Amino acid sequence: MNLIIKKCASPHITFWVLIYMMLLLIFGTIAQKYIGLYGALDKYFYSWILWAGYMPLPGGLSVMSVFFLNLLARFLGYSVWTREKAGIHLAHAGVILLLIGGIISGISRTDTVLPMIKDELRGYTQSYDDAALTVYKNGLRIKQFNLNKVSDNQNLSHAELPFNLQVLNKCINCKITFDKKSGGMNLVDIPSEKDREQNLSGLTFKIDLSDSEETQKYLSFLFFPKPPTIKIDGDEYIFTTERVYSLLPFDIKLESFNIEYYPGTSTAKSYQSDVQIFDDGHSVPASITMNEPLTYKNYRFYQSAYETNNRGEYVSILAVVYNKGRIFPYLAGLITALGLALHILNILKGRLSQSAVKFGCLLILMISASSPALASDIKIGTDFKTLPVLHEGRIKPIDSFARLQLKKLSGSEAPFAEAPSATLARLIFNPYDAVRLNVFEIKNKSVLSAFGIAKRKDNLYSYSQLVNGLEKTRKEFIDILQDQNLKPDAYQSALTDIHNKALYFLQLVRSFSFAMPLEGSDSDAILDYRELQKNTILLRNALEAIRDEKGDDIDAYSAREKETAYMNYQLDTLEQTGKNNLLLRVIPSSDPREKFTTPWQVLTGGKGRPDSGEYIQNWIRLMVAYQAQNQHIWNRAVIDLKTNYDDQKTSPVLKAEYFYNLFNPVLISIILVFAGAITATFLTVQKINSGHKALFFTSVLPSLILGATILFRTFVLGRPPVGTLYESILFVSFILCMAGSLWAFIRQRINILPPVFILSGFLLLLAKSIDGDQDNMQVMEAVLNTNFWLSTHVLIITAGYAWCLLTSVIAHLELYKPNKKNKKTTLHLHAIVSLFLISLGTILGGIWADMSWGRFWGWDPKENGALLIALWLIWALHSRASKHLSQRGFETALAFLSVIIMLSWFGVNLLNVGLHSYGFVSGLAAALFAFIIFEMTLIGGLVWRLKK
Amino acid sequence: MAFKKIAKNLIILTLLIIAVIATGIFFNRNAVNQNQTSEIKVPLEINLLDPQPLPEINWTTTEGNIFSIPKNHFTLINFWASWCAPCVIEFPELIKFAKENPEFNLLFVSNDLHKNDIGKFVSSLPERSRKGLINSENIFMLWDNKGEITRDIFQTYKLPETYILDDRQQIVAKINGVLSQDAYSYLRGL
């Protein structure tokens, strides 16, 4: 017994199994790109043997079993429960429980799906991918033969079937071929699809009737609209191929399905199914939403997706999970995290008290950035810049809107020496001037020559310059749009881009065209669309009468009649353009799904209400004041509008965002971080280690500004600022800077600051570079839109990334200049803290996934990435403890943590598969590759130098 | 390696497993169902507005008399015109609704340019609707020939449109286009 335990608990096993698990994880993740998630799961993770060509290797299940036994033996045979070691043992016990939970789930769990339309009542769920030959007798389902369990030439029978059914050939994924001779169809077995739900399963079979000699070949496959039907003794039998059904011990009915969109967009904010459960004579009403599943009798129903069927009805798709081991990961995760936390506290005990934390001073930075004086126009004023506008599902100040529009058109937030809002005012209030403004950026020379325009140095052109070219290339543009298979080249992309920009531009300049004087108005009676619209019927009738009398020949019309015809024409044209004007949403809407709408939508879309009239009037006053260059009226109109909007209670947030735009704190942070790196390098070289005031500003300022930035964004967006890749980079930089500075203070080691600052500087630059012409303050997809999980899982996991980077930096420094004092515990502590954050974050992510989709772990690349980091840390820590790695080897392993982080943070995005779609970026591969090469050279160099 | 130590660790692990399973059973018991009662469903075409008082309006009846809305009743203000096909179709339906629900005022605000057109339209209505219109005390025919009330005050540019006022004469909702049966049942429930 003792011997078995001793053999099983060998640290050699731990060392090699962890390495093998990491390799398996990496290959299995990459394989998802090529053979799909299910293929990779079967081949790598849920297999006993992994076939690498003809060579058998241990599969995921084998390795996990060995790992489990190793851990169990170690725990049972070697755990001595002292106060110092309790944390470690508890963490190990947690991992054992996690694996036991995995075993129980593996045995008991079933995953099925329940697609339902409104008012549908169902007592069964269906498999995601397994299909079965299903036999109906007189409309009642008699029997399902699972296609996975039948083989070619097998005879199938059932008590209620008066015949034998012989399978001729079955295929899990079929290709339908047509026999030219007989004109019939055949099924040919082809390899399974990457996504098994896409498989077209089916079979051919024949039926032996005992009293007849004749047999006929039949064919059935999924979604086949005309399944074979035969009649025997007055009974009708239908043979269809359907998904495998599992019976529920109760019935469920979908009462209604509702989707809520972000105002003015087609992005779903949330969706919800109201259901009724009928069980044993009583009924239970319940709602199922994203993140809020329904639990009933060990079944959990998750709102997983929705689709529209061919009748245009919504189909609510509920994932149904039956799992007896569900509680295990929750508590096991908790126990592991608790154990690690206990262990960290144990290490820290008695160490923190030695040094006092010196933070406490708050600086308020005021940079007065005055907006450049305007050449001749009226002063726009801050109040105008902070008026609200609804754009991409979020209410933002005019200033942000203007910046985004100008960046979209011209590539720059402020293409002229004036505030972006001032340029926007020109565009929307003075179209005659706007068409001459150089706001279109064109870099592609072929487009320029196609348009017949000479190249300008700043690459900026006006609409009036482009008009002819746009007209000339319109057909080409439409062809490009319609060709689905086309992979556009540089010229085609640029052409599409400029046409889209032009459409955008026209929407902007026509925002208030309904209120501009029409041609044909007298000076004493200005006629605009609204006036014209009031007389629509009169005008229509008049034109009708003229046409009845004089026909369509305009030349025959009198001057008065021509005017009538022209007015009709203007009315039509304006109405048409107005219908598509959806950009400048500044008028409160009667439609509860969008808070604001465009003025044109009030006029042509029926979205007005009594109080929108006042807003429109005030906007028109603004326009008139702008055109007349009357500062007084402008100011009054802005104040009146402001008062109107103040009822909407959005003002402080809009002001905050305006100042955020004005100060551009991310740019300031970048500058400060690099300045900090230079100062810290200077101080390090000069060996000025502490007590220097420069040190304080150097290290605290960037953290403060970044922290304030993140707080600001939280305030403006009303959610934790970690929803996008951009935001997570900001957050990692902040934690890195803050934890680095804190550590530099406590340890009085300033030499940690230069690498920390350089690293966060580069991360911030990366954030800047991925921040294109989209708003970097975005609304969230339905699944991400829960503050609780964003603030727990994502915050902790991103903090984990940051801490790992810090650990890596410290490891680099140790390799560069070995620190005799304290050298064992410092790195060790950081590694444990990193492991704690990564594990806790991953476990919380698992709980979130379990709540939303019904599975704790799905081998999604991002999840695997986090697991890889955890495994790397576990491997390094255990190998050091078991002396497989020397202290130097441990340092080297931790130095490489930076590479592991970058791989699992950005690298998995390059695979473009999986659920964590918030971070898909292209073009990162080269930078990532360069970083890995750089790190390998650097760490290799450092180790070589030490050896020498 | 003492047997005692192994046994002790085994007990600890078993206890942990039992604790986990017990918690699982406990939560499963408690999580049998979670009920949420859904609110009254508002049909899609009814746009609920933040309640706002009705502005001062000089209503005029088709006879040219000054009119004010009777108080303490829910009110429907329907903007229509005899040249607007959907308005004409829903006209009898609205009359039927108002007759069956006397707690509602129904205001027909015509956008016709000529009074004749209104008269012609009314006389062409089916017998029952015409009688209902003439005999009921809660249906009122108003005229806005310049479109000032319709467009300038209510920002209605597309006919038909119907506003809903509560019993305190606050505007509470708006319906674009023709009222569906769902909308009528919603109104009945008010």
Side-chain angles (χ1 to χ4, degrees):
Chain A
M1 173 85 172
N2 271 358
L3 189 72
I4 297 173
I5 286 191
K6 202 172 171 185
K7 284 273 178 228
C8 283
S10 158
H12 295 299
I13 297 179
T14 322
F15 181 78
W16 291 109
V17 159
L18 279 170
I19 292 180
Y20 188 78
M21 271 165 76
M22 283 191 276
L23 289 172
L24 199 67
L25 197 60
I26 292 171
F27 284 109
T29 308
I30 294 172
Q32 289 184 17
K33 190 177 173 66
Y34 303 100
I35 56 174
L37 174 66
Y38 293 106
L41 286 184
D42 279 353
K43 187 173 178 190
Y44 290 89
F45 302 129
Y46 294 151
S47 63
W48 292 100
I49 298 169
L50 163 66
W51 290 97
Y54 290 103
M55 193 162 67
L57 294 172
L61 291 178
S62 325
V63 182
M64 294 286 263
S65 310
V66 174
F67 181 66
F68 176 65
L69 289 177
N70 177 244
L71 188 60
L72 188 65
R74 191 87 206 161
F75 178 80
L76 292 179
Y78 292 84
S79 303
V80 182
W81 292 81
T82 60
R83 196 186 286 172
E84 285 77 34
K85 296 281 176 191
I88 296 184
H89 298 330
L90 206 57
H92 284 123
V95 179
I96 293 173
L97 289 176
L98 201 64
L99 291 169
I100 291 177
I103 296 169
I104 296 177
S105 296
I107 295 166
S108 77
R109 176 186 173 120
T110 58
D111 273 296
T112 51
V113 65
L114 184 61
M116 289 217 285
I117 55 172
K118 189 171 178 288
D119 294 333
E120 194 179 353
L121 178 76
R122 298 255 304 237
Y124 55 87
T125 60
Q126 66 190 47
S127 161
Y128 279 98
D129 47 5
D130 290 341
L133 175 67
T134 312
V135 188
Y136 287 86
K137 180 183 176 183
N138 299 326
L140 283 175
R141 194 167 58 234
I142 304 280
K143 174 74 183 161
Q144 281 204 315
F145 299 102
N146 190 332
L147 288 188
N148 289 333
K149 292 175 186 163
V150 304
S151 50
D152 291 358
N153 301 319
Q154 188 184 343
N155 272 317
L156 307 174
S157 60
H158 184 259
E160 282 203 47
L161 301 179
F163 47 77
N164 265 341
L165 200 149
Q166 191 191 356
V167 180
L168 295 174
N169 78 311
K170 69 136 190 195
C171 37
I172 296 302
N173 193 19
C174 309
K175 194 179 147 194
I176 302 164
T177 57
F178 292 91
D179 192 345
K180 274 182 193 156
K181 265 189 228 159
S182 64
M185 292 191 280
N186 280 320
L187 297 179
V188 181
D189 203 1
I190 55 168
S192 179
E193 301 288 328
K194 269 191 203 175
D195 179 0
R196 275 197 230 152
E197 289 176 44
Q198 306 288 332
N199 281 346
L200 185 71
S201 305
L203 77 167
T204 52
F205 58 93
K206 62 179 186 182
I207 289 170
D208 290 327
L209 294 168
S210 44
D211 56 345
S212 151
E213 289 296 303
E214 260 182 83
T215 54
Q216 204 191 330
K217 188 179 120 181
Y218 298 98
L219 173 143
S220 170
F221 52 86
L222 279 175
F223 320 118
F224 187 35
K226 284 183 188 166
T229 307
I230 59 168
K231 274 199 169 156
I232 301 169
D233 302 336
D235 291 325
E236 188 188 56
Y237 296 90
I238 303 175
F239 303 88
T240 63
T241 303
E242 294 174 11
R243 295 284 179 217
V244 174
Y245 295 120
S246 324
L247 282 178
L248 290 170
F250 47 83
D251 290 328
I252 181 165
K253 182 184 175 197
L254 180 67
E255 296 286 348
S256 67
F257 177 70
N258 301 303
I259 306 176
E260 191 190 338
Y261 293 100
Y262 278 105
T265 70
S266 57
T267 308
K269 188 176 183 184
S270 65
Y271 28 99
Q272 167 176 342
S273 298
D274 291 333
V275 296
Q276 190 92 251
I277 284 181
F278 298 95
D279 188 10
D280 243 0
H282 70 275
S283 71
V284 185
S287 298
I288 306 169
T289 56
M290 267 331 246
N291 303 324
E292 273 180 48
L294 161 73
T295 311
Y296 191 81
K297 288 197 168 169
N298 267 329
Y299 285 87
R300 274 171 85 81
F301 296 84
Y302 299 87
Q303 183 69 62
S304 86
Y306 68 90
E307 58 188 33
T308 321
N309 67 11
N310 46 20
R311 280 176 307 219
E313 299 160 318
Y314 280 124
V315 183
S316 170
I317 298 181
L318 302 175
V320 185
V321 180
Y322 180 76
N323 181 8
K324 282 183 181 155
R326 204 182 134 250
I327 191 73
F328 271 84
Y330 285 73
L331 291 182
L334 190 75
I335 292 169
T336 313
L338 205 70
L340 283 173
L342 209 65
H343 188 51
I344 292 170
L345 284 179
N346 206 14
I347 299 175
L348 279 179
K349 209 176 68 188
R351 290 183 66 190
L352 268 184
S353 54
Q354 296 166 8
S355 46
V357 183
K358 294 172 189 170
F359 292 115
C361 176
L362 195 74
L363 284 174
I364 299 162
L365 184 76
M366 294 298 291
I367 299 171
S368 51
S370 55
S371 49
L374 300 172
S376 63
D377 302 320
I378 40 181
K379 287 197 175 64
I380 293 296
T382 310
D383 281 342
F384 175 74
K385 292 173 190 168
T386 54
L387 291 179
V389 46
L390 175 68
H391 181 236
E392 290 174 350
R394 188 169 73 80
I395 292 176
K396 46 187 87 164
I398 285 276
D399 182 64
S400 296
F401 177 77
R403 283 170 196 270
L404 287 166
Q405 302 314 319
L406 292 172
K407 198 163 178 191
K408 197 171 199 126
L409 292 174
S410 69
S412 157
E413 286 185 354
F416 307 106
E418 61 183 2
S421 310
T423 316
L424 184 77
R426 284 172 198 267
L427 294 182
I428 58 176
F429 293 141
N430 197 350
Y432 308 102
D433 192 19
V435 294
R436 283 175 208 91
L437 271 182
N438 291 337
V439 285
F440 288 90
E441 185 186 43
I442 307 177
K443 284 180 178 163
N444 188 292
K445 282 182 190 151
S446 320
V447 170
L448 286 178
S449 64
F451 276 47
I453 318 172
K455 189 176 160 42
R456 278 167 52 103
K457 232 179 183 174
D458 57 5
N459 292 326
L460 290 175
Y461 307 88
S462 72
Y463 185 73
S464 57
Q465 278 174 295
L466 300 184
V467 163
N468 289 332
L470 287 169
E471 198 50 51
K472 235 177 11 191
T473 52
R474 177 149 296 131
K475 199 185 163 301
E476 207 178 332
F477 164 63
I478 292 169
D479 289 345
I480 295 172
L481 282 191
Q482 284 173 345
D483 190 348
Q484 302 260 327
N485 302 319
L486 181 81
K487 279 193 178 154
D489 58 24
Y491 165 73
Q492 285 165 329
S493 307
L495 189 71
T496 324
D497 183 51
I498 196 69
H499 274 274
N500 284 332
K501 280 179 180 169
L503 291 173
Y504 228 77
F505 173 85
L506 286 179
Q507 278 204 48
L508 274 181
V509 296
R510 285 174 182 160
S511 298
F512 295 103
S513 54
F514 60 86
M516 309 234 174
L518 293 172
E519 280 180 60
S521 10
D522 308 327
S523 51
D524 50 333
I526 292 175
L527 192 62
D528 64 19
Y529 170 80
R530 291 173 309 157
E531 286 303 314
L532 214 55
Q533 207 267 358
K534 280 184 191 169
N535 299 309
T536 309
I537 286 305
L538 205 61
L539 275 168
R540 296 265 191 271
N541 290 343
L543 183 64
E544 208 57 25
I546 297 167
R547 283 169 76 178
D548 281 350
E549 194 194 325
K550 296 191 172 171
D552 284 342
D553 182 14
I554 298 210
D555 292 337
Y557 292 8
S558 70
R560 187 78 193 159
E561 287 163 347
K562 273 184 186 164
E563 200 180 310
T564 309
Y566 189 60
M567 296 263 181
N568 265 295
Y569 169 74
Q570 289 198 77
L571 193 64
D572 285 346
T573 339
L574 272 169
E575 205 156 280
Q576 275 314 312
T577 46
K579 268 189 185 142
N580 300 323
N581 199 302
L582 303 167
L583 206 51
L584 191 73
R585 295 169 185 265
V586 287
I587 310 295
S589 161
S590 61
D591 186 342
R593 281 160 296 175
E594 46 177 9
K595 202 162 180 192
F596 291 118
T597 188
T598 63
W600 267 111
Q601 281 292 300
V602 170
L603 267 55
T604 60
K607 294 195 172 165
R609 55 189 218 202
D611 61 339
S612 28
E614 207 178 330
Y615 288 84
I616 296 186
Q617 271 321 315
N618 282 330
W619 274 97
I620 293 171
R621 274 169 69 207
L622 271 185
M623 184 185 80
V624 172
Y626 190 89
Q627 288 176 353
Q629 297 284 307
N630 187 325
Q631 184 75 49
H632 180 67
I633 298 179
W634 171 274
N635 292 348
R636 288 299 304 268
V638 170
I639 289 169
D640 288 348
L641 263 178
K642 196 92 196 154
T643 325
N644 293 151
Y645 285 118
D646 275 349
D647 297 341
Q648 310 279 340
K649 296 188 182 68
T650 41
S651 183
V653 177
L654 293 171
K655 270 230 162 76
E657 188 175 337
Y658 167 67
F659 283 108
Y660 179 90
N661 290 338
L662 195 64
F663 291 134
N664 201 344
V666 176
L667 188 68
I668 294 179
S669 304
I670 294 176
I671 296 167
L672 281 175
V673 159
F674 280 111
I678 293 168
T679 324
T681 313
F682 174 76
L683 293 175
T684 312
V685 171
Q686 296 289 316
K687 298 214 162 72
I688 305 170
N689 222 5
S690 62
H692 206 284
K693 274 183 192 160
L695 178 69
F696 180 77
F697 290 104
T698 302
S699 54
V700 172
L701 258 187
S703 317
L704 262 180
I705 302 256
L706 274 173
T709 307
I710 288 166
L711 275 180
F712 239 66
R713 295 179 66 96
T714 312
F715 174 59
V716 169
L717 293 170
R719 62 166 170 79
V722 279
T724 60
L725 187 61
Y726 177 85
E727 289 172 344
S728 71
I729 299 179
L730 284 194
F731 191 74
V732 166
S733 300
F734 165 65
I735 297 282
L736 189 59
C737 271
M738 198 193 62
S741 316
L742 196 67
W743 201 250
F745 267 90
I746 292 173
R747 297 270 117 218
Q748 305 220 330
R749 276 185 62 186
I750 196 170
N751 65 354
I752 194 184
L753 287 175
V756 161
F757 282 151
I758 290 169
L759 193 57
S760 28
F762 275 111
L763 282 175
L764 288 173
L765 282 176
L766 181 69
K768 266 265 172 230
S769 75
I770 61 169
D771 177 28
D773 58 8
Q774 295 291 311
D775 186 0
N776 64 43
M777 296 196 206
Q778 286 163 359
V779 293
M780 307 271 42
E781 302 257 337
V783 64
L784 285 173
N785 190 23
T786 76
N787 284 347
F788 177 73
W789 293 111
L790 266 184
S791 49
T792 52
H793 159 65
V794 188
L795 270 184
I796 291 175
I797 202 98
T798 9
Y801 286 162
W803 216 285
C804 285
L805 287 177
L806 182 69
T807 311
S808 168
V809 167
I810 296 173
H812 278 76
L813 284 176
E814 291 289 346
L815 287 175
Y816 172 69
K817 198 176 170 191
N819 191 353
K820 295 277 163 4
K821 188 178 68 174
N822 244 336
K823 75 175 185 182
K824 253 180 117 176
T825 42
T826 303
L827 251 189
H828 181 231
L829 174 64
H830 281 287
I832 301 257
V833 172
S834 305
L835 180 61
F836 169 72
L837 290 171
I838 293 281
S839 316
L840 186 63
T842 309
I843 288 161
L844 287 171
I847 294 175
W848 183 9
D850 185 49
M851 299 248 177
S852 309
W853 301 297
R855 92 279 182 292
F856 186 83
W857 191 260
W859 302 101
D860 176 86
K862 203 86 193 178
E863 295 171 353
N864 293 355
L867 181 62
L868 182 68
I869 301 171
L871 285 178
W872 184 266
L873 284 162
I874 292 170
W875 175 75
L877 285 163
H878 285 81
S879 308
R880 175 176 158 277
S882 66
K883 302 273 189 311
H884 280 92
L885 285 178
S886 63
Q887 177 65 20
R888 183 135 330 133
F890 178 62
E891 284 158 5
T892 315
L894 289 184
F896 269 113
L897 201 52
S898 60
V899 174
I900 305 284
I901 291 288
M902 293 300 172
L903 279 178
S904 55
W905 192 10
F906 300 114
V908 292
N909 292 327
L910 300 175
L911 292 173
N912 266 12
V913 286
L915 289 163
H916 292 73
S917 57
Y918 73 86
F920 286 172
V921 198
S922 53
L924 268 179
L928 193 65
F929 188 67
F931 180 78
I932 294 172
I933 297 289
F934 169 77
E935 274 293 74
M936 285 173 116
T937 326
L938 180 68
I939 297 170
L942 288 172
V943 173
W944 179 76
R945 183 172 146 268
L946 272 185
K947 277 209 167 138
K948 226 172 75 174
Chain B
M1 205 182 315
F3 177 72
K4 236 175 144 183
K5 189 162 76 185
I6 298 176
K8 190 176 147 196
N9 286 330
L10 199 60
I11 290 168
I12 292 176
L13 193 63
T14 317
L15 283 177
L16 278 174
I17 293 172
I18 290 170
V20 170
I21 292 172
T23 322
I25 291 168
F26 176 77
F27 274 106
N28 241 334
R29 281 251 173 84
N30 277 309
V32 171
N33 56 57
Q34 28 117 261
N35 304 346
Q36 284 126 20
T37 43
S38 16
E39 295 165 23
I40 303 166
K41 288 275 145 53
V42 181
L44 265 184
E45 75 264 28
I46 296 188
N47 296 328
L48 294 183
L49 309 175
D50 301 330
Q52 46 182 302
L54 187 71
E56 284 281 312
I57 298 168
N58 298 323
W59 301 101
T60 324
T61 62
T62 39
E63 275 81 42
N65 301 326
I66 291 168
F67 169 80
S68 60
I69 303 174
K71 289 195 171 132
N72 302 324
H73 284 285
F74 277 87
T75 304
L76 299 180
I77 306 178
N78 175 263
F79 294 100
W80 73 287
S82 66
W83 43 261
C84 148
C87 313
V88 174
I89 294 168
E90 95 170 326
F91 207 89
E93 281 284 310
L94 280 167
I95 294 177
K96 192 170 154 236
F97 173 81
K99 274 188 73 183
E100 288 167 4
N101 299 279
E103 64 278 17
F104 274 91
N105 297 316
L106 173 58
L107 273 57
F108 283 115
V109 183
S110 163
N111 274 258
D112 283 286
L113 280 173
H114 306 292
K115 210 157 83 179
N116 285 351
D117 295 335
I118 308 174
K120 254 192 256 169
F121 169 73
V122 172
S123 53
S124 74
L125 281 171
E127 183 68 22
R128 223 168 57 163
S129 305
R130 203 170 60 234
K131 276 191 177 160
L133 184 65
I134 296 163
N135 296 335
S136 53
E137 290 181 354
N138 61 333
I139 306 179
F140 307 94
M141 294 291 281
L142 307 174
W143 191 25
D144 178 30
N145 64 334
K146 288 179 186 153
E148 281 164 350
I149 299 174
T150 315
R151 277 120 172 132
D152 295 346
I153 298 176
F154 283 89
Q155 299 294 312
T156 290
Y157 291 84
K158 251 176 120 182
L159 300 179
E161 255 183 28
T162 307
Y163 276 88
I164 305 172
L165 270 54
D166 65 9
D167 48 0
R168 282 178 294 166
Q169 300 217 340
Q170 294 191 102
I171 303 170
V172 289
K174 170 183 162 174
I175 301 165
N176 287 332
V178 177
L179 273 74
S180 67
Q181 286 311 314
D182 284 350
Y184 284 116
S185 14
Y186 173 77
L187 287 175
R188 276 183 210 107
L190 280 178

